Amino acid sequence: MNRRQFSRQMALGAAAPLMLHGLTPQHIEPKLEKIKPKRLQAGDLIGLITPGSFIPDAALEKAVKNLETLGFRTALAPNIRAKMGYVAGTDQQRLDDLHGMFANPEIKAVWCARGGYGCTRLLPRINFNLIRQNPKVFIGYSDITALLNAVWQKTGLVGFHGPVASSTFTPYTIEHLLAVLVEAQSPHEIPLAIDYADSTDPLFQYQTLQPGKVQGTLAGGNLTLLSAMAGTEFAFNATGKLVFMEDIDEKPYRVDRMLTQLQQSAHLDKALGFALGIFSGCTADAGDESLTLSETVSQQLVGSGAPAVYGLSFGHVQHQCTLPVGIQAQLDTQAKTITLLERAVL
């Protein structure tokens, strides 16, 4: 065997243990320096984009009013009123708006005006170097999960799983939004929204699935999007993470299917803990032969022994907190809180 053949065999041999354990190179996260954006201040110019679905004029007007009420100025992306079927313009138009807002030094935050399908289509063409060189607050939820996680994986930039600009900004939502993005509170304890929501509302019923207290790096988002990225360059990896998840209008069997996919692709068994938000509309129809949502998530998550809860105040609901992707946080199942242990902005 000559030297070239020997070197090739050695390389294949070194890769074998990874393949045996199902860890292809795409599952190994690079060690990136954590990048925190600058905190927001009154008067800052906020760029509004629609990287997913089209936003009607009434919702866009609400988005602008929401941010102006908080004391910010707004700038609309050039293609924000574009429409192509179910998405907000062509992929190139939405990509241009994303890149343009990050490249513009006058823009202090990039705020998604709404979520909706279409974000995953942009991932392979995003200029992550541009984003890394121009870090700023980037915020949204639901399908924006795809962008938040991809940006964090590729650049190290802390993103924010929080209300889209057209959300209903309740006092709870505003309190925890400003605490994270403007006041940079640390530590910052996020309790349930029981002082704002009707305590009898079935959406806001807290449940401890597995008791305990744990701290780790916050990561996650919308369950449907996390599962949709499985098998791609941007696949979610739960190993060593404090995983948060939420969803809307998915039957328990579909929630089960997506969690099963993540069990087999994202190493949920290696997560440090699970902080589940509110899965609104995720119930079986009357008469269905189905597990309940609670039974479904318990079967999928409790076996790992990691602390796990359901019903924290985030998701497709009015009272939602803002969770930074990529910072240290603590889940306390007894206190019913998530506490952000470090500032997410500078």
Side-chain angles (χ1 to χ4, degrees), residues 104-141:
N104 186 343
E106 300 299 316
I107 299 295
K108 304 306 179 185
V110 182
W111 208 311
C112 298
R114 70 155 297 177
Y117 175 72
C119 295
T120 53
R121 293 173 52 152
L122 305 183
L123 300 185
R125 298 171 58 194
I126 292 176
N127 185 341
F128 292 105
N129 285 331
L130 170 69
I131 294 175
R132 183 186 297 110
Q133 292 164 9
N134 299 276
K136 56 190 68 175
V137 167
F138 181 43
I139 182 170
Y141 79 111

PDB file of all heavy atoms in Angstrom, residues 104-141:
ATOM      1  N   ASN A 104     -27.820  47.675   5.759  1.00  0.00           N
ATOM      2  CA  ASN A 104     -28.066  49.105   5.958  1.00  0.00           C
ATOM      3  C   ASN A 104     -27.640  49.530   7.362  1.00  0.00           C
ATOM      4  O   ASN A 104     -28.249  49.113   8.351  1.00  0.00           O
ATOM      5  CB  ASN A 104     -29.548  49.400   5.750  1.00  0.00           C
ATOM      6  CG  ASN A 104     -29.861  50.892   5.804  1.00  0.00           C
ATOM      7  OD1 ASN A 104     -29.066  51.703   6.295  1.00  0.00           O
ATOM      8  ND2 ASN A 104     -31.025  51.254   5.312  1.00  0.00           N
ATOM      9  N   PRO A 105     -26.625  50.376   7.510  1.00  0.00           N
ATOM     10  CA  PRO A 105     -26.137  50.753   8.841  1.00  0.00           C
ATOM     11  C   PRO A 105     -27.141  51.586   9.634  1.00  0.00           C
ATOM     12  O   PRO A 105     -27.028  51.695  10.857  1.00  0.00           O
ATOM     13  CB  PRO A 105     -24.866  51.547   8.547  1.00  0.00           C
ATOM     14  CG  PRO A 105     -25.051  52.053   7.148  1.00  0.00           C
ATOM     15  CD  PRO A 105     -25.826  50.988   6.436  1.00  0.00           C
ATOM     16  N   GLU A 106     -28.133  52.179   8.971  1.00  0.00           N
ATOM     17  CA  GLU A 106     -29.147  52.965   9.678  1.00  0.00           C
ATOM     18  C   GLU A 106     -30.155  52.075  10.408  1.00  0.00           C
ATOM     19  O   GLU A 106     -30.791  52.519  11.362  1.00  0.00           O
ATOM     20  CB  GLU A 106     -29.890  53.879   8.685  1.00  0.00           C
ATOM     21  CG  GLU A 106     -29.003  54.871   7.958  1.00  0.00           C
ATOM     22  CD  GLU A 106     -28.318  55.823   8.929  1.00  0.00           C
ATOM     23  OE1 GLU A 106     -29.003  56.321   9.850  1.00  0.00           O
ATOM     24  OE2 GLU A 106     -27.105  56.063   8.765  1.00  0.00           O
ATOM     25  N   ILE A 107     -30.286  50.850   9.956  1.00  0.00           N
ATOM     26  CA  ILE A 107     -31.250  49.918  10.541  1.00  0.00           C
ATOM     27  C   ILE A 107     -30.636  49.267  11.777  1.00  0.00           C
ATOM     28  O   ILE A 107     -29.551  48.689  11.712  1.00  0.00           O
ATOM     29  CB  ILE A 107     -31.658  48.833   9.524  1.00  0.00           C
ATOM     30  CG1 ILE A 107     -32.313  49.461   8.292  1.00  0.00           C
ATOM     31  CG2 ILE A 107     -32.584  47.799  10.169  1.00  0.00           C
ATOM     32  CD1 ILE A 107     -33.615  50.152   8.562  1.00  0.00           C
ATOM     33  N   LYS A 108     -31.314  49.374  12.911  1.00  0.00           N
ATOM     34  CA  LYS A 108     -30.787  48.839  14.168  1.00  0.00           C
ATOM     35  C   LYS A 108     -31.373  47.474  14.532  1.00  0.00           C
ATOM     36  O   LYS A 108     -30.847  46.792  15.417  1.00  0.00           O
ATOM     37  CB  LYS A 108     -31.055  49.818  15.311  1.00  0.00           C
ATOM     38  CG  LYS A 108     -30.495  51.216  15.069  1.00  0.00           C
ATOM     39  CD  LYS A 108     -29.001  51.173  14.738  1.00  0.00           C
ATOM     40  CE  LYS A 108     -28.462  52.576  14.469  1.00  0.00           C
ATOM     41  NZ  LYS A 108     -27.034  52.542  14.040  1.00  0.00           N
ATOM     42  N   ALA A 109     -32.444  47.076  13.884  1.00  0.00           N
ATOM     43  CA  ALA A 109     -33.034  45.756  14.123  1.00  0.00           C
ATOM     44  C   ALA A 109     -33.795  45.334  12.877  1.00  0.00           C
ATOM     45  O   ALA A 109     -34.338  46.173  12.148  1.00  0.00           O
ATOM     46  CB  ALA A 109     -33.972  45.776  15.323  1.00  0.00           C
ATOM     47  N   VAL A 110     -33.816  44.024  12.644  1.00  0.00           N
ATOM     48  CA  VAL A 110     -34.586  43.456  11.540  1.00  0.00           C
ATOM     49  C   VAL A 110     -35.740  42.688  12.175  1.00  0.00           C
ATOM     50  O   VAL A 110     -35.525  41.666  12.843  1.00  0.00           O
ATOM     51  CB  VAL A 110     -33.719  42.527  10.661  1.00  0.00           C
ATOM     52  CG1 VAL A 110     -34.543  41.988   9.491  1.00  0.00           C
ATOM     53  CG2 VAL A 110     -32.477  43.264  10.166  1.00  0.00           C
ATOM     54  N   TRP A 111     -36.949  43.192  11.989  1.00  0.00           N
ATOM     55  CA  TRP A 111     -38.122  42.639  12.666  1.00  0.00           C
ATOM     56  C   TRP A 111     -39.050  42.053  11.607  1.00  0.00           C
ATOM     57  O   TRP A 111     -39.457  42.736  10.663  1.00  0.00           O
ATOM     58  CB  TRP A 111     -38.857  43.742  13.426  1.00  0.00           C
ATOM     59  CG  TRP A 111     -39.624  43.269  14.633  1.00  0.00           C
ATOM     60  CD1 TRP A 111     -40.500  42.226  14.708  1.00  0.00           C
ATOM     61  CD2 TRP A 111     -39.574  43.843  15.945  1.00  0.00           C
ATOM     62  NE1 TRP A 111     -41.004  42.106  15.982  1.00  0.00           N
ATOM     63  CE2 TRP A 111     -40.454  43.091  16.760  1.00  0.00           C
ATOM     64  CE3 TRP A 111     -38.897  44.928  16.510  1.00  0.00           C
ATOM     65  CZ2 TRP A 111     -40.666  43.381  18.112  1.00  0.00           C
ATOM     66  CZ3 TRP A 111     -39.103  45.220  17.838  1.00  0.00           C
ATOM     67  CH2 TRP A 111     -39.978  44.450  18.637  1.00  0.00           C
ATOM     68  N   CYS A 112     -39.382  40.793  11.760  1.00  0.00           N
ATOM     69  CA  CYS A 112     -40.283  40.140  10.809  1.00  0.00           C
ATOM     70  C   CYS A 112     -41.710  40.608  11.082  1.00  0.00           C
ATOM     71  O   CYS A 112     -42.203  40.506  12.205  1.00  0.00           O
ATOM     72  CB  CYS A 112     -40.176  38.630  10.920  1.00  0.00           C
ATOM     73  SG  CYS A 112     -38.521  38.019  10.531  1.00  0.00           S
ATOM     74  N   ALA A 113     -42.363  41.120  10.057  1.00  0.00           N
ATOM     75  CA  ALA A 113     -43.707  41.652  10.224  1.00  0.00           C
ATOM     76  C   ALA A 113     -44.720  40.544  10.444  1.00  0.00           C
ATOM     77  O   ALA A 113     -45.733  40.734  11.107  1.00  0.00           O
ATOM     78  CB  ALA A 113     -44.103  42.492   9.007  1.00  0.00           C
ATOM     79  N   ARG A 114     -44.450  39.373   9.880  1.00  0.00           N
ATOM     80  CA  ARG A 114     -45.273  38.189  10.117  1.00  0.00           C
ATOM     81  C   ARG A 114     -44.432  36.952   9.831  1.00  0.00           C
ATOM     82  O   ARG A 114     -43.300  37.043   9.357  1.00  0.00           O
ATOM     83  CB  ARG A 114     -46.538  38.199   9.259  1.00  0.00           C
ATOM     84  CG  ARG A 114     -46.319  37.989   7.769  1.00  0.00           C
ATOM     85  CD  ARG A 114     -47.568  37.408   7.094  1.00  0.00           C
ATOM     86  NE  ARG A 114     -47.896  36.081   7.620  1.00  0.00           N
ATOM     87  CZ  ARG A 114     -48.972  35.371   7.242  1.00  0.00           C
ATOM     88  NH1 ARG A 114     -49.825  35.881   6.363  1.00  0.00           N
ATOM     89  NH2 ARG A 114     -49.202  34.181   7.731  1.00  0.00           N
ATOM     90  N   GLY A 115     -44.979  35.784  10.144  1.00  0.00           N
ATOM     91  CA  GLY A 115     -44.282  34.527   9.864  1.00  0.00           C
ATOM     92  C   GLY A 115     -44.862  33.906   8.604  1.00  0.00           C
ATOM     93  O   GLY A 115     -44.926  34.551   7.563  1.00  0.00           O
ATOM     94  N   GLY A 116     -45.279  32.651   8.732  1.00  0.00           N
ATOM     95  CA  GLY A 116     -45.879  31.991   7.577  1.00  0.00           C
ATOM     96  C   GLY A 116     -44.853  31.315   6.695  1.00  0.00           C
ATOM     97  O   GLY A 116     -43.657  31.605   6.719  1.00  0.00           O
ATOM     98  N   TYR A 117     -45.346  30.391   5.873  1.00  0.00           N
ATOM     99  CA  TYR A 117     -44.470  29.548   5.058  1.00  0.00           C
ATOM    100  C   TYR A 117     -43.605  30.351   4.092  1.00  0.00           C
ATOM    101  O   TYR A 117     -44.034  31.357   3.542  1.00  0.00           O
ATOM    102  CB  TYR A 117     -45.300  28.543   4.257  1.00  0.00           C
ATOM    103  CG  TYR A 117     -44.454  27.736   3.308  1.00  0.00           C
ATOM    104  CD1 TYR A 117     -43.585  26.755   3.789  1.00  0.00           C
ATOM    105  CD2 TYR A 117     -44.466  28.003   1.951  1.00  0.00           C
ATOM    106  CE1 TYR A 117     -42.763  26.049   2.916  1.00  0.00           C
ATOM    107  CE2 TYR A 117     -43.663  27.298   1.077  1.00  0.00           C
ATOM    108  CZ  TYR A 117     -42.805  26.322   1.571  1.00  0.00           C
ATOM    109  OH  TYR A 117     -41.990  25.628   0.725  1.00  0.00           O
ATOM    110  N   GLY A 118     -42.397  29.863   3.870  1.00  0.00           N
ATOM    111  CA  GLY A 118     -41.506  30.417   2.863  1.00  0.00           C
ATOM    112  C   GLY A 118     -40.076  30.621   3.309  1.00  0.00           C
ATOM    113  O   GLY A 118     -39.164  30.713   2.492  1.00  0.00           O
ATOM    114  N   CYS A 119     -39.852  30.656   4.633  1.00  0.00           N
ATOM    115  CA  CYS A 119     -38.505  30.964   5.141  1.00  0.00           C
ATOM    116  C   CYS A 119     -37.478  29.890   4.784  1.00  0.00           C
ATOM    117  O   CYS A 119     -36.321  30.213   4.474  1.00  0.00           O
ATOM    118  CB  CYS A 119     -38.556  31.166   6.648  1.00  0.00           C
ATOM    119  SG  CYS A 119     -39.538  32.604   7.154  1.00  0.00           S
ATOM    120  N   THR A 120     -37.868  28.632   4.843  1.00  0.00           N
ATOM    121  CA  THR A 120     -36.899  27.559   4.571  1.00  0.00           C
ATOM    122  C   THR A 120     -36.379  27.627   3.140  1.00  0.00           C
ATOM    123  O   THR A 120     -35.261  27.170   2.869  1.00  0.00           O
ATOM    124  CB  THR A 120     -37.520  26.183   4.831  1.00  0.00           C
ATOM    125  OG1 THR A 120     -38.754  26.062   4.099  1.00  0.00           O
ATOM    126  CG2 THR A 120     -37.790  25.966   6.308  1.00  0.00           C
ATOM    127  N   ARG A 121     -37.149  28.189   2.242  1.00  0.00           N
ATOM    128  CA  ARG A 121     -36.712  28.284   0.840  1.00  0.00           C
ATOM    129  C   ARG A 121     -35.514  29.206   0.691  1.00  0.00           C
ATOM    130  O   ARG A 121     -34.757  29.102  -0.287  1.00  0.00           O
ATOM    131  CB  ARG A 121     -37.875  28.776  -0.025  1.00  0.00           C
ATOM    132  CG  ARG A 121     -39.006  27.784  -0.128  1.00  0.00           C
ATOM    133  CD  ARG A 121     -40.218  28.350  -0.844  1.00  0.00           C
ATOM    134  NE  ARG A 121     -39.912  28.942  -2.128  1.00  0.00           N
ATOM    135  CZ  ARG A 121     -40.781  29.004  -3.146  1.00  0.00           C
ATOM    136  NH1 ARG A 121     -41.996  28.495  -3.015  1.00  0.00           N
ATOM    137  NH2 ARG A 121     -40.444  29.578  -4.273  1.00  0.00           N
ATOM    138  N   LEU A 122     -35.325  30.099   1.642  1.00  0.00           N
ATOM    139  CA  LEU A 122     -34.239  31.073   1.534  1.00  0.00           C
ATOM    140  C   LEU A 122     -32.906  30.558   2.063  1.00  0.00           C
ATOM    141  O   LEU A 122     -31.850  31.104   1.715  1.00  0.00           O
ATOM    142  CB  LEU A 122     -34.606  32.350   2.310  1.00  0.00           C
ATOM    143  CG  LEU A 122     -35.920  33.051   1.955  1.00  0.00           C
ATOM    144  CD1 LEU A 122     -36.052  34.332   2.790  1.00  0.00           C
ATOM    145  CD2 LEU A 122     -36.003  33.358   0.469  1.00  0.00           C
ATOM    146  N   LEU A 123     -32.931  29.558   2.923  1.00  0.00           N
ATOM    147  CA  LEU A 123     -31.735  29.190   3.687  1.00  0.00           C
ATOM    148  C   LEU A 123     -30.479  28.944   2.854  1.00  0.00           C
ATOM    149  O   LEU A 123     -29.410  29.455   3.199  1.00  0.00           O
ATOM    150  CB  LEU A 123     -32.037  27.955   4.559  1.00  0.00           C
ATOM    151  CG  LEU A 123     -33.156  28.118   5.593  1.00  0.00           C
ATOM    152  CD1 LEU A 123     -33.259  26.864   6.461  1.00  0.00           C
ATOM    153  CD2 LEU A 123     -32.926  29.348   6.473  1.00  0.00           C
ATOM    154  N   PRO A 124     -30.532  28.172   1.777  1.00  0.00           N
ATOM    155  CA  PRO A 124     -29.282  27.887   1.052  1.00  0.00           C
ATOM    156  C   PRO A 124     -28.637  29.110   0.407  1.00  0.00           C
ATOM    157  O   PRO A 124     -27.454  29.078   0.060  1.00  0.00           O
ATOM    158  CB  PRO A 124     -29.720  26.873  -0.021  1.00  0.00           C
ATOM    159  CG  PRO A 124     -31.025  26.318   0.460  1.00  0.00           C
ATOM    160  CD  PRO A 124     -31.676  27.444   1.199  1.00  0.00           C
ATOM    161  N   ARG A 125     -29.399  30.198   0.237  1.00  0.00           N
ATOM    162  CA  ARG A 125     -28.872  31.359  -0.493  1.00  0.00           C
ATOM    163  C   ARG A 125     -28.581  32.558   0.405  1.00  0.00           C
ATOM    164  O   ARG A 125     -28.198  33.621  -0.080  1.00  0.00           O
ATOM    165  CB  ARG A 125     -29.867  31.762  -1.590  1.00  0.00           C
ATOM    166  CG  ARG A 125     -30.093  30.669  -2.632  1.00  0.00           C
ATOM    167  CD  ARG A 125     -31.248  31.023  -3.559  1.00  0.00           C
ATOM    168  NE  ARG A 125     -31.025  32.290  -4.241  1.00  0.00           N
ATOM    169  CZ  ARG A 125     -31.996  32.956  -4.887  1.00  0.00           C
ATOM    170  NH1 ARG A 125     -33.230  32.482  -4.888  1.00  0.00           N
ATOM    171  NH2 ARG A 125     -31.716  34.092  -5.488  1.00  0.00           N
ATOM    172  N   ILE A 126     -28.736  32.393   1.700  1.00  0.00           N
ATOM    173  CA  ILE A 126     -28.474  33.521   2.598  1.00  0.00           C
ATOM    174  C   ILE A 126     -26.981  33.818   2.663  1.00  0.00           C
ATOM    175  O   ILE A 126     -26.152  32.910   2.750  1.00  0.00           O
ATOM    176  CB  ILE A 126     -29.015  33.222   4.005  1.00  0.00           C
ATOM    177  CG1 ILE A 126     -30.543  33.175   3.985  1.00  0.00           C
ATOM    178  CG2 ILE A 126     -28.550  34.277   5.013  1.00  0.00           C
ATOM    179  CD1 ILE A 126     -31.161  32.789   5.309  1.00  0.00           C
ATOM    180  N   ASN A 127     -26.637  35.088   2.639  1.00  0.00           N
ATOM    181  CA  ASN A 127     -25.248  35.524   2.786  1.00  0.00           C
ATOM    182  C   ASN A 127     -24.954  35.657   4.282  1.00  0.00           C
ATOM    183  O   ASN A 127     -25.149  36.723   4.877  1.00  0.00           O
ATOM    184  CB  ASN A 127     -25.038  36.857   2.069  1.00  0.00           C
ATOM    185  CG  ASN A 127     -23.594  37.308   2.091  1.00  0.00           C
ATOM    186  OD1 ASN A 127     -22.793  36.848   2.914  1.00  0.00           O
ATOM    187  ND2 ASN A 127     -23.239  38.211   1.196  1.00  0.00           N
ATOM    188  N   PHE A 128     -24.494  34.580   4.883  1.00  0.00           N
ATOM    189  CA  PHE A 128     -24.255  34.581   6.326  1.00  0.00           C
ATOM    190  C   PHE A 128     -23.062  35.447   6.699  1.00  0.00           C
ATOM    191  O   PHE A 128     -23.016  35.984   7.816  1.00  0.00           O
ATOM    192  CB  PHE A 128     -24.071  33.144   6.826  1.00  0.00           C
ATOM    193  CG  PHE A 128     -25.330  32.330   6.744  1.00  0.00           C
ATOM    194  CD1 PHE A 128     -25.498  31.360   5.767  1.00  0.00           C
ATOM    195  CD2 PHE A 128     -26.369  32.533   7.643  1.00  0.00           C
ATOM    196  CE1 PHE A 128     -26.658  30.613   5.680  1.00  0.00           C
ATOM    197  CE2 PHE A 128     -27.541  31.798   7.578  1.00  0.00           C
ATOM    198  CZ  PHE A 128     -27.689  30.835   6.598  1.00  0.00           C
ATOM    199  N   ASN A 129     -22.113  35.612   5.807  1.00  0.00           N
ATOM    200  CA  ASN A 129     -20.987  36.513   6.094  1.00  0.00           C
ATOM    201  C   ASN A 129     -21.468  37.950   6.244  1.00  0.00           C
ATOM    202  O   ASN A 129     -20.990  38.693   7.107  1.00  0.00           O
ATOM    203  CB  ASN A 129     -19.938  36.432   4.977  1.00  0.00           C
ATOM    204  CG  ASN A 129     -19.120  35.163   5.055  1.00  0.00           C
ATOM    205  OD1 ASN A 129     -18.912  34.614   6.138  1.00  0.00           O
ATOM    206  ND2 ASN A 129     -18.661  34.680   3.913  1.00  0.00           N
ATOM    207  N   LEU A 130     -22.426  38.344   5.414  1.00  0.00           N
ATOM    208  CA  LEU A 130     -22.994  39.683   5.510  1.00  0.00           C
ATOM    209  C   LEU A 130     -23.648  39.892   6.878  1.00  0.00           C
ATOM    210  O   LEU A 130     -23.462  40.926   7.525  1.00  0.00           O
ATOM    211  CB  LEU A 130     -24.031  39.888   4.405  1.00  0.00           C
ATOM    212  CG  LEU A 130     -24.896  41.146   4.507  1.00  0.00           C
ATOM    213  CD1 LEU A 130     -24.057  42.393   4.262  1.00  0.00           C
ATOM    214  CD2 LEU A 130     -26.064  41.076   3.523  1.00  0.00           C
ATOM    215  N   ILE A 131     -24.393  38.885   7.339  1.00  0.00           N
ATOM    216  CA  ILE A 131     -25.066  38.988   8.629  1.00  0.00           C
ATOM    217  C   ILE A 131     -24.056  39.006   9.768  1.00  0.00           C
ATOM    218  O   ILE A 131     -24.179  39.788  10.714  1.00  0.00           O
ATOM    219  CB  ILE A 131     -26.072  37.831   8.788  1.00  0.00           C
ATOM    220  CG1 ILE A 131     -27.195  37.975   7.757  1.00  0.00           C
ATOM    221  CG2 ILE A 131     -26.626  37.782  10.210  1.00  0.00           C
ATOM    222  CD1 ILE A 131     -28.175  36.821   7.735  1.00  0.00           C
ATOM    223  N   ARG A 132     -23.029  38.175   9.677  1.00  0.00           N
ATOM    224  CA  ARG A 132     -22.008  38.130  10.721  1.00  0.00           C
ATOM    225  C   ARG A 132     -21.281  39.474  10.842  1.00  0.00           C
ATOM    226  O   ARG A 132     -20.939  39.909  11.943  1.00  0.00           O
ATOM    227  CB  ARG A 132     -20.998  37.023  10.417  1.00  0.00           C
ATOM    228  CG  ARG A 132     -19.921  36.855  11.503  1.00  0.00           C
ATOM    229  CD  ARG A 132     -18.859  35.855  11.107  1.00  0.00           C
ATOM    230  NE  ARG A 132     -19.389  34.514  10.938  1.00  0.00           N
ATOM    231  CZ  ARG A 132     -19.498  33.894   9.773  1.00  0.00           C
ATOM    232  NH1 ARG A 132     -19.114  34.505   8.655  1.00  0.00           N
ATOM    233  NH2 ARG A 132     -19.979  32.682   9.705  1.00  0.00           N
ATOM    234  N   GLN A 133     -21.063  40.122   9.722  1.00  0.00           N
ATOM    235  CA  GLN A 133     -20.342  41.392   9.731  1.00  0.00           C
ATOM    236  C   GLN A 133     -21.225  42.582  10.121  1.00  0.00           C
ATOM    237  O   GLN A 133     -20.714  43.667  10.407  1.00  0.00           O
ATOM    238  CB  GLN A 133     -19.727  41.637   8.344  1.00  0.00           C
ATOM    239  CG  GLN A 133     -18.615  40.653   8.005  1.00  0.00           C
ATOM    240  CD  GLN A 133     -18.272  40.640   6.523  1.00  0.00           C
ATOM    241  OE1 GLN A 133     -18.741  41.491   5.763  1.00  0.00           O
ATOM    242  NE2 GLN A 133     -17.464  39.670   6.106  1.00  0.00           N
ATOM    243  N   ASN A 134     -22.543  42.365  10.151  1.00  0.00           N
ATOM    244  CA  ASN A 134     -23.476  43.444  10.489  1.00  0.00           C
ATOM    245  C   ASN A 134     -24.494  42.946  11.515  1.00  0.00           C
ATOM    246  O   ASN A 134     -25.703  42.932  11.243  1.00  0.00           O
ATOM    247  CB  ASN A 134     -24.196  43.937   9.228  1.00  0.00           C
ATOM    248  CG  ASN A 134     -23.247  44.501   8.193  1.00  0.00           C
ATOM    249  OD1 ASN A 134     -22.859  45.665   8.254  1.00  0.00           O
ATOM    250  ND2 ASN A 134     -22.869  43.664   7.241  1.00  0.00           N
ATOM    251  N   PRO A 135     -24.028  42.537  12.679  1.00  0.00           N
ATOM    252  CA  PRO A 135     -24.953  41.948  13.657  1.00  0.00           C
ATOM    253  C   PRO A 135     -25.951  42.975  14.193  1.00  0.00           C
ATOM    254  O   PRO A 135     -25.582  44.112  14.484  1.00  0.00           O
ATOM    255  CB  PRO A 135     -24.013  41.467  14.768  1.00  0.00           C
ATOM    256  CG  PRO A 135     -22.813  42.352  14.666  1.00  0.00           C
ATOM    257  CD  PRO A 135     -22.652  42.624  13.196  1.00  0.00           C
ATOM    258  N   LYS A 136     -27.183  42.571  14.267  1.00  0.00           N
ATOM    259  CA  LYS A 136     -28.229  43.426  14.844  1.00  0.00           C
ATOM    260  C   LYS A 136     -29.380  42.551  15.319  1.00  0.00           C
ATOM    261  O   LYS A 136     -29.435  41.359  15.001  1.00  0.00           O
ATOM    262  CB  LYS A 136     -28.701  44.472  13.829  1.00  0.00           C
ATOM    263  CG  LYS A 136     -29.193  43.928  12.517  1.00  0.00           C
ATOM    264  CD  LYS A 136     -29.418  45.044  11.483  1.00  0.00           C
ATOM    265  CE  LYS A 136     -28.125  45.699  11.038  1.00  0.00           C
ATOM    266  NZ  LYS A 136     -28.331  46.711   9.953  1.00  0.00           N
ATOM    267  N   VAL A 137     -30.253  43.112  16.106  1.00  0.00           N
ATOM    268  CA  VAL A 137     -31.399  42.366  16.618  1.00  0.00           C
ATOM    269  C   VAL A 137     -32.206  41.819  15.444  1.00  0.00           C
ATOM    270  O   VAL A 137     -32.541  42.550  14.502  1.00  0.00           O
ATOM    271  CB  VAL A 137     -32.287  43.267  17.499  1.00  0.00           C
ATOM    272  CG1 VAL A 137     -33.633  42.609  17.767  1.00  0.00           C
ATOM    273  CG2 VAL A 137     -31.581  43.574  18.811  1.00  0.00           C
ATOM    274  N   PHE A 138     -32.512  40.519  15.519  1.00  0.00           N
ATOM    275  CA  PHE A 138     -33.314  39.847  14.500  1.00  0.00           C
ATOM    276  C   PHE A 138     -34.394  39.076  15.245  1.00  0.00           C
ATOM    277  O   PHE A 138     -34.090  38.222  16.074  1.00  0.00           O
ATOM    278  CB  PHE A 138     -32.435  38.912  13.669  1.00  0.00           C
ATOM    279  CG  PHE A 138     -33.163  38.190  12.570  1.00  0.00           C
ATOM    280  CD1 PHE A 138     -34.078  38.858  11.765  1.00  0.00           C
ATOM    281  CD2 PHE A 138     -32.928  36.843  12.325  1.00  0.00           C
ATOM    282  CE1 PHE A 138     -34.740  38.200  10.748  1.00  0.00           C
ATOM    283  CE2 PHE A 138     -33.586  36.181  11.315  1.00  0.00           C
ATOM    284  CZ  PHE A 138     -34.488  36.861  10.511  1.00  0.00           C
ATOM    285  N   ILE A 139     -35.671  39.367  14.969  1.00  0.00           N
ATOM    286  CA  ILE A 139     -36.738  38.847  15.816  1.00  0.00           C
ATOM    287  C   ILE A 139     -37.962  38.390  15.027  1.00  0.00           C
ATOM    288  O   ILE A 139     -38.332  38.982  14.013  1.00  0.00           O
ATOM    289  CB  ILE A 139     -37.136  39.900  16.879  1.00  0.00           C
ATOM    290  CG1 ILE A 139     -38.219  39.352  17.814  1.00  0.00           C
ATOM    291  CG2 ILE A 139     -37.564  41.201  16.241  1.00  0.00           C
ATOM    292  CD1 ILE A 139     -38.481  40.234  19.019  1.00  0.00           C
ATOM    293  N   GLY A 140     -38.579  37.337  15.523  1.00  0.00           N
ATOM    294  CA  GLY A 140     -39.811  36.786  14.975  1.00  0.00           C
ATOM    295  C   GLY A 140     -40.034  35.410  15.579  1.00  0.00           C
ATOM    296  O   GLY A 140     -39.232  34.945  16.396  1.00  0.00           O
ATOM    297  N   TYR A 141     -41.111  34.753  15.196  1.00  0.00           N
ATOM    298  CA  TYR A 141     -41.360  33.401  15.692  1.00  0.00           C
ATOM    299  C   TYR A 141     -42.122  32.619  14.626  1.00  0.00           C
ATOM    300  O   TYR A 141     -42.236  33.066  13.485  1.00  0.00           O
ATOM    301  CB  TYR A 141     -42.115  33.432  17.034  1.00  0.00           C
ATOM    302  CG  TYR A 141     -43.603  33.667  16.954  1.00  0.00           C
ATOM    303  CD1 TYR A 141     -44.503  32.652  17.268  1.00  0.00           C
ATOM    304  CD2 TYR A 141     -44.117  34.898  16.576  1.00  0.00           C
ATOM    305  CE1 TYR A 141     -45.874  32.866  17.199  1.00  0.00           C
ATOM    306  CE2 TYR A 141     -45.471  35.124  16.511  1.00  0.00           C
ATOM    307  CZ  TYR A 141     -46.361  34.109  16.824  1.00  0.00           C
ATOM    308  OH  TYR A 141     -47.710  34.319  16.751  1.00  0.00           O
TER     309      TYR A 141
END
